């Protein structure tokens, strides 16, 4: 049988970068083909070419043995190619059925046939084993469920070649396991799957084949059984990653952030925080984990001033900050790596350099006599560019043209500032490659050693286990229990996340 | 107030609300598809002018009639709709193709419409102003009622007035119950979704803007061909902007917008009401009411209602 996809000599140049450098690549039916590579290696570009979102400058695409032109997504869809995008392509106020059938709606005369649509989606969900409620409004679904809608959307169009661009970045460990099972089933049915990720654990667990890209080129292919997670990571980064040194959990110094009995509502007006108490001390990293929607996001927003608490206390170095504005909090030394970078952390139309001073542009040396000093801003940008290895032609490049992981590096570079007393770090390595993640982890540790207090909120158990000194599991708006690093397993934390069980006393919590 | 008075007031309210109903529908059609349209005022004015001019110029040519409606007036209404759609397409072209800021494009069209209609008016009709048409669109039905004093009061329901109600229902049905409507909502909420599904975002937006433009043109025709029978400089007098407030007040939903428009119309019609109650308030004060209401409505509502998420994004 002819391979599902054969790319020959795909070449794509953006101003200042060769995103794809004469890439040859083959995808066979039945494969779950992991595409690995550093941030900016060209993975998304290559898949966008296959899906018709980007026109290559040169190269041939063969689908099922035939050479084809894919000038637009509509052509890709006709060829049976579907893509689950890195950023979900869903219409929040519409229902699940409406989202899935958008563009191929069942009709009753001139009208949308709601009953038939719901039935069709229910049937499809049944057939492929991905239960959803067709009538639910998408914006009210948890992220894992939204992704399921994305997958159904692709399957509804009879896609036989499925592209998953970093599908696991926003999922919790449990949801990742589920997704893995779904992908395996789809591959067993004879479809061909592409899977982009930065997490080697997932590659080893899910993929059947691996291709590694670097700087726009394919540098090697292998299978998970012929290699190890460590070897793969080394291949991606181009050097072996240092094993994480086992440091005993630190005991913090004075209390920097004191949270007492905090209550707050979510966007829908429902109680999201139901009495949270946490102390974060100087020189320690407190980790918070939980299944999406258990109040972690709201907690971070209340601390950083993006959301109002309905009651409870919030003190920074003994001083109440519940009424302080975001800028006042920042000036008191609160740094914030926001979970949703596109909404809360970068202005994509601005340059990298401008984004790097968004919280301090009005202070010298960036502002003098009420005028911005462009040279100082650009110089600062150039320094960070190098330090964080942000892949861009220069510091004046707009953030919108960066790859996802490189956008994240811009945020981290701005927020991990040595002057901050408290760092609220939410999903700091979302979408960044293994090498960059290692670097970001090192930075967080160094700032902590230098006396900052760190509150780390993450979905990734691995990240939590190597960074956090104490781990709090959030469940239904409360901290369900605390664990100390080294004295708990992944499985135990996973159980606590789902059941909120294992609460017990709160060792070192808000004692 | 007796039943007859009530019906008369209702008819008066609906009449005053008609341009607002139509104008807010224009806003809904374009903003729901993701394009800000503050050119409603200018489109209405252009429609009013085109409608009048065509009706006046074809007075002697189009001697036929469709039922009670004289042919020249019918041609006028069509011309108003076409002119409105064309102007809206200019807005679409500037915003979507040339990527002009949509507020600026809308403002430019408003200014253009104001200047151009005034200029053409003088060019065609000289300083004397536009001659009054021999007839305006006749009522489709008249309801004669007797009030408590035994006087006859008649409530008149004219074609565009009634058509505006039909269009409210039609807009609702299309937007929320047809495949086209779903695609429109998707374009206004999350445009990249439309693209990734292989549909043309431009096709959706150009079409919706043109439909909206035709409706604003109809509102213009209402002013010249149904109400006044004449064209005066700047005769829309801000109705297009009030319609924008009505759209926001009505949360981008046709039926809510209808209710909001009637509320504004009532504020206008209340002059009649107050006079029957024998309350004397200076006319200038009452004329101010809709504008004041607009301000109050916007102050109270902006920030609290949410329009389509991706409005203004290309
Ligand atoms: N629209 C664009 N304009 C300019 N440059 C771009 C554009 N899209 C991508 N690039 C550049 O092309 C290169 C490859 O980007 P791509 O998004 O394919 O990387 P990636 O491998 O998906 O990275 P990540 O893992 O961070 O998502 C990057 O250097 C990026 O800056
Ligand atoms: Mg990418």
């Amino acid at each position: 049988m002819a391979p599902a996809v054969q790319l020959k000599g795909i070449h794509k140049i953006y101003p200042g970068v060769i995103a794809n450098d004469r890439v040859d690549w083959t995808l066979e039916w039945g494969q779950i083909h992991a595409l690995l590579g550093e941030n900016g290696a060209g993975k998304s570009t290559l898949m966008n070419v296959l899906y018709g979102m980007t026109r290559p400058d040169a190269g041939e695409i063969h689908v099922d043995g035939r050479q084809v032109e894919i000038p637009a997504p509509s052509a890709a869809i006709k060829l049976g190619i579907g893509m689950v995008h890195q950023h979900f392509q869903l219409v929040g106020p519409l229902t699940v059925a409406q989202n899935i059938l958008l563009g191929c709606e069942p009709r009753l005369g001139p009208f949308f046939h709601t009953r038939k649509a719901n039935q069709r989606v229910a049937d499809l969900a049944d057939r492929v084993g991905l239960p959803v409620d067709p009538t639910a409004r998408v914006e009210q679904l948890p992220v894992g469920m939204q992704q399921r809608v994305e997958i159904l959307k692709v399957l509804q169009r009879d896609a036989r070649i499925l592209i998953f661009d970093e599908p696991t970045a926003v999922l919790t460990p449990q949801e990742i396991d589920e997704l893995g099972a779904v992908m395996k089933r789809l591959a067993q049915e004879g479809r061909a799957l592409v899977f982009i990720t930065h997490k080697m654990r997932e590659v080893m667990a899910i993929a059947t084949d691996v291709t590694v890209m670097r700087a726009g080129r394919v540098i090697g292919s292998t299978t998970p059984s012929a290699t190890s997670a460590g070897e793969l990571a080394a291949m991606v980064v181009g050097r072996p990653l240092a094993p994480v040194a086992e440091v005993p959990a630190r005991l913090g110094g004075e209390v920097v952030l004191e949270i007492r009995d905090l209550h707050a509502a979510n966007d829908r007006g429902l109680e999201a925080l139901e009495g949270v108490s946490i102390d974060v001390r100087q020189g320690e990293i407190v980790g918070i984990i939980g299944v999406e929607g258990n109040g972690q996001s709201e907690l971070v927003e209340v601390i950083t001033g993006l959301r109002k608490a309905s009651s409870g206390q919030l003190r920074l170095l003994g001083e109440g900050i519940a009424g302080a504005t975001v800028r006042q909090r920042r000036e008191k030394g609160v740094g914030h790596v926001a979970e949703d970078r596109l909404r809360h952390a970068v202005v994509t139309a601005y340059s990298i350099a401008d984004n790097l001073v968004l919280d301090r542009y009005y202070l010298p040396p960036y502002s003098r006599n009420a005028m911005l000093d462009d040279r100082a801003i650009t110089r600062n940008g150039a320094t960070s560019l190098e330090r964080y290895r942000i892949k861009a032609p220069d510091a004046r490049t707009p953030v919108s043209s960066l790859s996802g992981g490189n956008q994240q590096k811009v945020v981290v570079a701005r927020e991990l500032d040595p002057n901050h007393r408290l760092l609220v770090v939410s999903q700091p390595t979302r979408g960044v490659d293994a090498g960059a993640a290692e670097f970001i982890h090192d930075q967080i540790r160094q700032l902590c050693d230098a006396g900052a207090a760190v509150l780390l909120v993450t979905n990734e158990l691995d990240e939590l286990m190597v960074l956090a000194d104490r781990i709090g599991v959030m469940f239904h708006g409360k901290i369900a229990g605390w664990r100390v690093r080294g004295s708990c397993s992944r499985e135990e934390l996973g159980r606590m996340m789902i059941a909120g069980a294992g609460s017990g006393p709160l060792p070192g919590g808000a004692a | 107030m007796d039943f007859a008075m009530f019906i008369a007031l209702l008819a008066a309210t609906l009449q005053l609300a008609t341009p607002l109903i139509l104008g807010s529908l224009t806003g809904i059609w374009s903003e729901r598809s993701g394009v800000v349209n503050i050119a409603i005022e200018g489109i209405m004015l252009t429609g009013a002018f085109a409608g009048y001019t065509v009706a006046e110029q074809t007075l002697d040519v189009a001697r036929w009639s469709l039922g009670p409606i004289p042919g020249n007036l019918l041609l006028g209404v069509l011309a108003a709709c076409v002119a409105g759609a064309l102007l809206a397409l200019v807005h679409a072209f500037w915003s979507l193709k040339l990527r002009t800021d949509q507020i600026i494009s809308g403002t430019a069209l408003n200014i253009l419409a104001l200047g151009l209609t005034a200029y053409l008016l003088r060019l065609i009709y000289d300083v004397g102003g536009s001659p009054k048409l021999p007839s305006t669109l006749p009522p489709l039905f008249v309801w004669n009622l007797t009030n408590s004093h035994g006087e006859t009061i008649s409530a008149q329901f004219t074609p565009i007035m009634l058509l505006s109600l039909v269009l409210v229902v039609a807009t609702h049905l299309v937007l929320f119950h047809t495949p086209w409507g779903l695609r429109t909502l998707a374009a206004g909420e999350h445009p990249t979704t439309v693209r990734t599904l292989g549909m043309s975002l431009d096709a959706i937006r150009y079409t919706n803007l043109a439909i909206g433009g035709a409706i604003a043109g109809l509102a213009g025709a209402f002013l010249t061909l149904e109400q006044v029978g004449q064209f005066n400089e700047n005769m829309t007098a801000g109705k297009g902007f009030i319609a924008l407030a009505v759209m926001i007040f009505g949360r981008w939903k046709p039926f809510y917008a209808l209710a909001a428009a009637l509320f504004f119309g009532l504020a206008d019609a209340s002059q009649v009401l107050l006079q029957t109650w024998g309350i004397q308030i200076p006319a200038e004060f009452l004329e101010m009411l809709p504008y004041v209401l607009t301000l109050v409505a916007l102050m109270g509502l902006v920030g609290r209602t949410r329009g389509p998420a991706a409005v203004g994004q290309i």
Side-chain angles (χ1 to χ4, degrees):
Chain A
M1 197 155 68
V5 175
Q6 237 182 326
L7 300 180
K8 294 183 183 169
I10 297 292
H11 203 68
K12 176 72 192 177
I13 299 179
Y14 284 116
V17 261
I18 303 179
N20 284 158
D21 190 358
R22 281 156 301 172
V23 174
D24 295 321
W25 178 76
T26 305
L27 173 68
E28 302 282 353
W29 296 111
Q31 278 185 341
I32 302 178
H33 200 129
L35 203 51
L36 307 182
E38 291 183 288
N39 297 128
K43 309 177 292 290
S44 294
T45 305
L46 192 65
M47 289 305 114
N48 284 340
V49 166
L50 180 56
Y51 193 62
M53 305 267 281
T54 302
R55 285 312 297 268
D57 301 319
E60 289 175 14
I61 305 173
H62 296 252
V63 172
D64 216 359
R66 272 190 313 123
Q67 186 176 348
V68 292
E69 286 290 316
I70 308 184
S74 51
I77 293 170
K78 278 207 196 80
L79 289 166
I81 302 172
M83 186 156 175
V84 174
H85 298 267
Q86 192 167 356
H87 302 111
F88 291 165
Q89 302 295 331
L90 297 171
V91 187
L94 298 188
T95 67
V96 169
Q98 288 171 332
N99 265 284
I100 291 175
L101 296 172
L102 193 63
C104 50
E105 305 86 351
R107 286 158 199 260
L108 182 66
F111 296 111
F112 180 77
H113 197 328
T114 304
R115 205 157 37 81
K116 199 161 166 191
N118 291 343
Q119 191 55 47
R120 194 182 283 182
V121 167
D123 288 347
L124 173 73
D126 242 22
R127 202 168 65 237
V128 297
L130 289 173
V132 286
D133 171 10
T135 59
R137 283 218 298 177
V138 161
E139 64 194 352
Q140 298 188 339
L141 296 177
V143 183
M145 199 52 98
Q146 294 192 350
Q147 185 168 59
R148 193 172 279 193
V149 177
E150 281 282 45
I151 297 172
L152 286 171
K153 202 162 90 179
V154 167
L155 293 178
Q156 156 66 29
R157 287 163 174 76
D158 283 328
R160 302 180 56 227
I161 299 163
L162 281 79
I163 305 165
F164 290 82
D165 193 354
E166 297 196 33
T168 55
V170 293
L171 299 186
T172 55
Q174 296 80 17
E175 290 170 331
I176 292 174
D177 290 346
E178 278 172 37
L179 176 66
V182 170
M183 291 174 68
K184 282 182 185 162
R185 213 169 50 233
L186 292 173
Q188 266 154 23
E189 291 169 8
R191 292 180 232 260
L193 276 65
V194 187
F195 176 38
I196 300 181
T197 183
H198 290 294
K199 295 179 220 163
M200 300 311 143
R201 177 190 295 278
E202 295 165 3
V203 177
M204 301 304 289
I206 300 173
T208 61
D209 292 84
V210 181
T211 294
V212 179
M213 292 184 71
R214 190 182 307 146
R217 289 194 201 152
V218 168
I219 59 162
S221 292
T222 178
T223 60
S225 48
T227 180
S228 69
E231 262 178 55
L232 270 182
M235 203 165 155
V236 169
V237 181
R239 65 182 160 87
L241 288 177
V244 182
E246 281 289 334
V247 224
R250 282 168 284 210
L251 291 174
E254 62 165 326
V255 175
V256 175
L257 176 71
E258 188 184 339
I259 302 173
R260 284 292 173 279
D261 198 27
L262 200 65
H263 290 254
N266 64 14
D267 288 338
R268 280 179 271 156
L270 306 172
E271 182 109 290
L273 299 181
E274 309 186 13
V276 175
S277 300
I278 304 173
D279 281 341
V280 188
R281 294 164 188 276
Q282 190 178 20
E284 74 167 348
I285 302 175
V286 173
I288 300 286
I289 193 163
V291 173
E292 171 102 11
N294 274 285
Q296 307 93 297
S297 312
E298 286 82 2
L299 176 65
V300 167
E301 288 172 11
V302 169
I303 298 172
T304 52
L306 297 174
R307 182 180 293 275
K308 270 209 157 47
S310 45
S311 71
Q313 286 159 14
L314 196 61
R315 274 191 287 270
L316 184 71
L317 294 162
E319 194 185 343
I321 54 165
T325 62
V326 174
R327 179 177 280 190
Q328 284 164 346
R329 291 178 208 217
R330 282 189 170 273
E331 287 179 340
K332 288 190 210 308
V334 179
H336 177 205
V337 175
E339 167 182 33
D340 185 343
R341 57 175 169 253
L342 293 182
R343 267 179 63 199
H344 290 139
V346 290
V347 182
T348 49
Y350 287 10
S351 69
I352 297 170
D354 288 344
N355 270 286
L356 285 169
V357 295
L358 277 184
D359 62 337
R360 64 201 78 155
Y361 65 90
Y362 56 92
L363 298 171
Y366 309 115
S367 165
R368 277 183 294 135
N369 309 323
M371 300 288 270
L372 289 180
D373 184 340
D374 260 340
R375 262 196 297 167
I377 292 173
T378 309
R379 213 177 310 122
N380 173 65
T383 313
S384 295
L385 210 64
E386 195 165 322
R387 198 169 140 72
Y388 281 82
R389 294 202 206 89
I390 298 168
K391 202 160 175 259
D394 61 44
R396 284 278 141 219
T397 310
V399 164
S400 57
S401 71
L402 297 186
S403 76
N406 281 303
Q407 293 177 346
Q408 182 68 10
K409 291 189 203 169
V410 173
V411 178
V412 171
R414 181 181 68 221
E415 300 299 336
L416 297 189
D417 180 289
N419 294 322
H420 287 149
R421 304 296 309 269
L422 171 69
L423 289 171
V424 182
V425 183
S426 208
Q427 322 291 355
T429 55
R430 182 171 275 181
V432 307
D433 62 54
E438 183 190 43
F439 178 74
I440 291 171
H441 288 166
D442 278 346
Q443 292 296 305
I444 294 177
R445 273 197 215 96
Q446 274 175 29
L447 287 174
C448 188
D449 289 341
V454 180
L455 184 71
L456 167 73
V457 181
T458 179
N459 276 345
E460 282 184 49
L461 280 169
D462 289 327
E463 181 164 76
L464 207 65
M465 306 285 271
V466 303
L467 270 187
D469 299 308
R470 280 192 293 135
I471 299 168
V473 178
M474 275 197 93
F475 187 73
H476 286 345
K478 287 200 185 94
I479 304 282
W482 289 96
R483 291 291 179 269
V484 176
R485 179 181 49 196
S487 72
C488 61
S489 63
R490 288 175 61 90
E491 290 69 31
E492 188 183 1
L493 287 173
R495 268 198 308 280
M496 287 170 73
M497 287 168 69
I498 301 173
S503 323
L506 310 181
Chain B
M1 187 169 65
D2 53 40
F3 182 68
M5 269 311 296
F6 176 74
I7 294 296
L9 183 68
L10 198 71
T13 299
L14 185 56
Q15 187 177 35
L16 290 163
T18 298
L20 305 184
I21 296 171
L22 293 170
S24 68
L25 291 181
T26 304
I28 290 172
W29 277 94
S30 50
E31 298 217 348
R32 280 290 188 174
S33 76
V35 182
V36 181
N37 190 350
I38 64 159
I40 302 171
E41 173 85 1
I43 300 175
M44 241 188 230
L45 192 63
T46 308
F49 180 79
Y52 168 79
T53 315
V54 167
E56 204 273 330
Q57 301 287 324
T58 57
L59 200 49
D60 302 321
V61 196
R63 293 192 164 282
W64 46 275
S65 67
L66 188 77
I69 302 171
N72 71 318
L73 292 182
L74 205 62
L75 288 179
V77 171
L78 285 179
C81 291
V82 170
L86 286 178
L87 207 62
L89 284 174
V90 173
H91 179 51
F93 179 75
W94 282 353
S95 325
L96 301 177
K97 182 83 184 169
L98 306 182
R99 314 254 158 148
T100 318
D101 183 284
Q102 297 175 7
I103 299 286
I104 297 195
S105 163
T107 307
L109 282 180
N110 283 332
I111 296 172
L112 178 74
L114 187 59
L116 198 65
T117 51
Y119 171 72
L120 289 176
L121 180 69
R122 248 158 259 177
L123 197 70
I124 302 174
Y125 298 105
D126 231 352
V127 273
S130 57
K132 203 155 169 103
L133 292 171
S135 67
T136 55
L137 286 167
L140 286 189
F141 72 89
V142 179
W143 196 352
N144 287 313
L145 296 143
T146 320
N147 73 1
S148 46
H149 306 296
E151 298 154 350
T152 302
I153 294 181
S154 63
Q156 304 200 337
F157 295 87
T158 43
I160 297 180
M161 194 165 140
L162 293 170
L163 190 55
S164 74
L165 296 181
V166 174
L167 284 172
V168 168
V169 179
T171 303
H172 172 84
L173 287 177
V174 172
L175 273 188
F176 299 111
H177 296 283
T178 66
W180 180 263
L182 283 190
R183 294 169 190 196
T184 301
L185 299 185
E189 288 289 333
H190 206 290
T192 51
T193 300
V194 175
R195 260 191 230 125
T196 56
L197 287 178
M199 293 182 278
S200 163
L201 193 57
D202 275 355
I204 294 174
R205 289 180 165 173
Y206 276 98
T207 311
N208 279 305
L209 260 102
I211 293 172
I215 295 177
L218 188 66
F222 170 82
L223 296 175
T224 44
L225 304 182
E226 193 160 300
Q227 258 193 328
V228 186
Q230 216 176 358
F231 181 86
N232 304 316
E233 216 175 299
N234 191 22
M235 72 184 297
T236 44
K239 288 197 178 61
F241 293 114
I242 298 180
L244 213 54
V246 167
M247 172 194 76
I248 296 171
F249 213 25
R251 300 175 176 215
W252 291 264
K253 292 184 178 143
F255 284 117
Y256 288 14
L258 171 64
L262 289 176
F263 177 68
F264 278 88
L266 184 67
D268 240 357
S270 59
Q271 292 179 59
V272 192
L273 190 65
L274 291 171
Q275 273 157 19
T276 60
W277 285 346
I279 302 171
Q280 288 306 319
I281 294 182
E284 291 82 358
F285 185 81
L286 288 172
E287 279 164 19
M288 198 170 79
L289 255 184
Y291 303 94
V292 174
L293 271 178
T294 305
L295 280 178
V296 172
L298 291 183
M299 273 192 308
L301 278 173
V302 165
R304 254 189 277 165
T305 56
R306 196 184 70 105
V311 111
Q313 292 174 18
I314 318 184

